[in-house]
Amino acid sequence: MDAKKTLKILYLYPDMLELYGDYGNIQVLKYRLEKRGFGCEIERYSIGDNNPDFTEYDLVFAGGGADQEQSILAEDLIKYKDNIKKAIQNGTFFLLICGAYQLFGKYYKGVDGNIIPGLDIFPYYTEAIEDRKSRCIGNIVINVKLGDTYTKVIGFENHGGQTFDVFSPFGDVLFGNGNKFGDSKEGFFLNNVIATYLHGPLLSKNPVLADYILKYCLDMKYNDDIKLVDLDDSFEELCRNELLKRFDI
């Protein structure tokens, strides 16, 4: 009998990057794997822990944090820049929310003009506007192409940073702001990387997206076209439909 197929997930800085229920994304992935008979190993990394090898994981997740946290984490994360690049090139999936999204770009410029260097893995950059009270905040819906199909992805955004020079966005904004005030595009999406401002947590509101990520990871690890058994998402779909009606979408 074959050993149970298992995905190995690395959760970055759970003690510092966990705004608006971002940890729920990990819970959703684990639940949807185990309901289908797959295994899920979750390891956590925080400052001071043993150095992780990012190439050993099938999926790396990092959530959102405030400017102060980003400044601290940027200094730690830069140590792993080459290893992270190698993991991305090898096919490890990265799901990056808000602050983590910004950290993978060139830099983040704060309200006071202070520059937090990013990993510079992707060419976008983020600058906060001077008015601290002016933020892209509220519900957001984007139209995303996953494989050959489109789906409406629902989330919650709350960011003062405005992200520029995104050459491959995650989706088209149907409701809300996106990468910056009034933008038509949101996030960054490139093969095995999804970087987005959508909190919520993102995956609990979007089971199709969760399964897209899981299937990618399973196919990549086991070199197979793995079929995911349908789960009963009727309650989630009822919630989604109600939200979309409220947004008049």
Side-chain angles (χ1 to χ4, degrees):
M1 182 177 178
D2 292 340
K4 180 189 289 187
K5 289 183 171 63
T6 299
L7 290 184
K8 191 174 179 181
I9 299 175
L10 178 62
Y11 183 10
L12 292 178
Y13 310 110
D15 53 338
M16 301 181 75
L17 295 180
E18 213 284 289
L19 287 178
Y20 310 114
D22 287 336
Y23 172 58
N25 292 310
I26 295 289
Q27 294 175 303
V28 168
L29 292 169
K30 184 174 186 291
Y31 172 82
R32 297 185 75 82
L33 279 170
E34 292 180 346
K35 287 290 286 185
R36 293 172 165 122
F38 298 108
C40 182
E41 297 178 6
I42 299 169
E43 296 184 7
R44 293 165 172 79
Y45 169 77
S46 294
I47 295 175
D49 292 344
N50 292 332
N51 295 354
D53 181 351
F54 287 80
T55 64
E56 293 182 352
Y57 297 91
D58 306 300
L59 188 150
V60 176
F61 171 76
D67 290 8
Q68 183 177 1
E69 284 82 8
Q70 282 185 238
S71 179
I72 296 170
L73 299 182
E75 293 182 11
D76 185 67
L77 200 58
I78 196 70
K79 297 183 299 186
Y80 308 110
K81 178 177 177 177
D82 291 341
N83 188 232
I84 290 171
K85 276 188 172 182
K86 184 178 179 181
I88 292 173
Q89 291 168 354
N90 288 354
T92 297
F93 200 99
F94 281 71
L95 177 59
L96 311 168
I97 308 295
C98 199
Y101 168 19
Q102 296 169 351
L103 282 174
F104 274 63
K106 289 183 176 180
Y107 66 84
Y108 175 85
K109 182 178 180 182
V111 174
D112 300 324
N114 55 307
I115 300 291
I116 300 174
L119 293 178
D120 198 18
I121 291 177
F122 303 115
Y124 56 79
Y125 62 94
T126 304
E127 297 186 355
I129 54 179
E130 294 182 2
D131 183 0
R132 294 179 184 270
K133 296 180 180 179
S134 186
R135 303 181 65 82
C136 298
I137 183 169
N139 292 305
I140 179 170
V141 183
I142 61 176
N143 197 36
V144 174
K145 187 177 183 183
L146 300 175
D148 296 327
T149 62
Y150 284 90
T151 185
K152 293 180 176 66
V153 174
I154 303 170
F156 176 81
E157 60 178 342
N158 184 359
H159 56 102
Q162 310 289 286
T163 300
F164 300 86
D165 285 2
V166 176
F167 67 87
S168 180
F170 182 30
D172 298 317
V173 177
L174 302 177
F175 184 92
N177 286 289
N179 284 324
K180 48 188 179 291
F181 280 112
D183 203 345
S184 62
K185 305 294 181 181
E186 200 286 325
F188 175 81
F189 188 13
L190 187 65
N191 299 322
N192 51 316
V193 178
I194 292 178
T196 177
Y197 280 116
L198 274 63
H199 295 278
L202 171 66
L203 299 182
S204 64
K205 296 178 180 177
N206 303 283
V208 170
L209 177 60
D211 283 353
Y212 173 84
I213 294 171
L214 292 177
K215 178 171 170 51
Y216 171 92
C217 294
L218 288 165
D219 288 353
M220 175 65 64
K221 182 169 188 174
Y222 294 102
N223 193 28
D224 194 7
D225 182 13
I226 291 177
K227 306 298 182 185
L228 296 181
V229 175
D230 290 339
L231 300 181
D232 182 4
D233 294 323
S234 55
F235 181 75
E236 288 84 352
E237 286 306 316
L238 283 171
C239 293
R240 283 175 49 81
N241 291 335
E242 183 60 32
L243 285 171
L244 292 173
K245 280 193 287 185
R246 291 184 185 183
F247 306 148
D248 195 25
I249 295 175

